[in-house]
């Protein structure tokens, strides 16, 4: 078993440096900072890039939007990768707020009566490269045979109410309120038997977004 220190390498409370929401200002600040770090005057950088001193000043102050060719020339003169000039820009990050009871009912392949899936939110293309799908699963009829699922990614279950015997591959896990189950969802998995109704649990599925 890994130690706590090994398992939690990322500090969830760490804050990144404040990013700039205006792209032109972000590029200008980065150009000025890199120029000063290299002890280069504005005139020297302007001469190396073929820009006028006035034009460079406007770029550094975020007054104008430089062309891609100009950004490339600046990056070359400053001896940094082109993408570094965008490093202080804050892209808009996705966020979705779903009020209680307003999740979208989803009919996933294999679901039957007595098995309700509510999708609690969805963020599409994002910088992390990972898709996260949170579902609220409700099972309210023990007489129905519940489906077995198999799909790419990692899944985590968190029991809210009821008791269920849950299958993952060849093993059965009894899940009670407060229990969680984290597993590779490429193996066959799903409710095997209901012990106490009603059953409600969160199912959070993560998988790589399509390239």
């Amino acid at each position: 078993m890994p130690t706590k220190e090994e398992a939690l390498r990322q500090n969830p409370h760490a804050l990144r440096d404040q990013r700039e929401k205006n792209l032109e200002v972000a590029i200008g600040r980065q150009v000025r900072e890199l120029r000063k770090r290299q002890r280069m005057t504005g005139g020297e950088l302007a001469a190396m890039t073929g820009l006028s001193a006035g034009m460079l000043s406007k770029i550094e102050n975020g007054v104008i939007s430089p062309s891609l060719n100009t950004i490339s020339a600046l990056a070359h003169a400053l001896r940094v990768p082109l993408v570094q000039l965008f490093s202080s820009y804050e892209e808009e990050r996705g966020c979705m707020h779903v009020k209680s009871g307003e999740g979208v009912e989803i009919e996933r392949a294999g679901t039957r009566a007595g098995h309700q899936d509510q999708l609690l939110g969805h963020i599409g293309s994002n910088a992390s490269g990972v898709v996260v799908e949170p579902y609220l699963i409700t099972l309210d009829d023990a007489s129905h045979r519940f489906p077995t699922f198999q799909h790419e990614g990692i899944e985590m279950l968190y029991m809210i109410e009821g008791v269920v015997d849950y299958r993952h591959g060849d093993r059965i896990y009894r899940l009670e309120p407060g229990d969680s189950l984290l597993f590779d969802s490429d193996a066959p998995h799903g409710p095997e038997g209901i012990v106490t109704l009603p059953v409600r649990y969160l199912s959070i599925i993560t998988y790589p977004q399509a390239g």
Side-chain angles (χ1 to χ4, degrees):
M1 290 288 291
T3 65
K4 183 178 181 180
E5 289 72 18
E6 291 172 332
L8 301 176
R9 294 185 184 278
Q10 180 166 283
N11 180 359
H13 304 294
L15 296 176
R16 292 183 178 181
D17 293 336
Q18 187 172 356
R19 301 295 185 90
E20 174 56 54
K21 297 184 184 299
N22 181 285
L23 180 58
E24 288 79 8
V25 173
I27 293 172
R29 285 182 179 174
Q30 193 70 7
V31 169
R32 183 189 294 112
E33 181 180 327
L34 289 167
R35 175 177 63 76
K36 289 184 175 180
R37 194 181 301 170
Q38 297 181 32
R39 301 182 183 279
M40 190 184 300
T41 67
E44 289 170 337
L45 180 57
M48 293 174 67
T49 56
L51 298 171
S52 68
M55 178 64 71
L56 178 61
S57 176
K58 289 180 179 180
I59 291 173
E60 289 192 349
N61 287 299
V63 176
I64 63 172
S65 180
S67 69
L68 187 57
N69 284 339
T70 297
I71 294 172
S72 178
L74 287 165
H76 179 74
L78 293 166
R79 300 187 296 277
V80 296
L82 186 147
V83 294
Q84 188 167 339
L85 299 187
F86 296 88
S87 63
S88 63
Y89 175 58
E90 177 62 78
E91 296 180 274
E92 184 176 350
R93 306 299 182 184
C95 181
M96 179 176 285
H97 179 204
V98 179
K99 297 291 286 183
S100 176
E102 295 183 2
V104 179
E105 286 195 26
I106 300 292
E107 290 188 11
R108 291 196 287 175
T111 56
R112 297 175 174 83
H115 186 145
Q116 181 189 68
D117 293 3
Q118 272 197 330
L119 181 62
L120 301 181
H122 179 79
I123 294 177
S125 179
N126 63 87
S128 73
V130 176
V131 175
V132 179
E133 293 182 357
Y135 293 91
L136 176 61
I137 310 296
T138 302
L139 310 179
D140 57 15
D141 190 339
S143 66
H144 286 83
R145 178 178 175 82
F146 296 104
T148 297
F149 297 101
Q150 191 171 1
H151 51 85
E152 68 173 333
I154 301 295
E155 185 166 352
M156 192 194 85
L157 309 182
Y158 180 80
M159 286 297 295
I160 299 171
E161 183 180 11
V163 181
V164 64
D165 288 332
Y166 200 90
R167 172 179 294 280
H168 178 259
D170 297 329
R171 299 189 63 181
I172 305 293
Y173 300 87
R174 175 153 294 189
L175 302 181
E176 301 174 331
D179 289 356
S180 62
L181 188 66
L182 179 68
F183 54 86
D184 183 339
S185 48
D186 190 48
H189 58 277
E192 183 75 10
I194 305 299
V195 180
T196 304
L197 283 173
V199 169
R200 287 194 310 139
Y201 59 89
L202 286 175
S203 165
I204 302 174
I205 301 170
T206 65
Y207 55 90
Q209 66 186 29

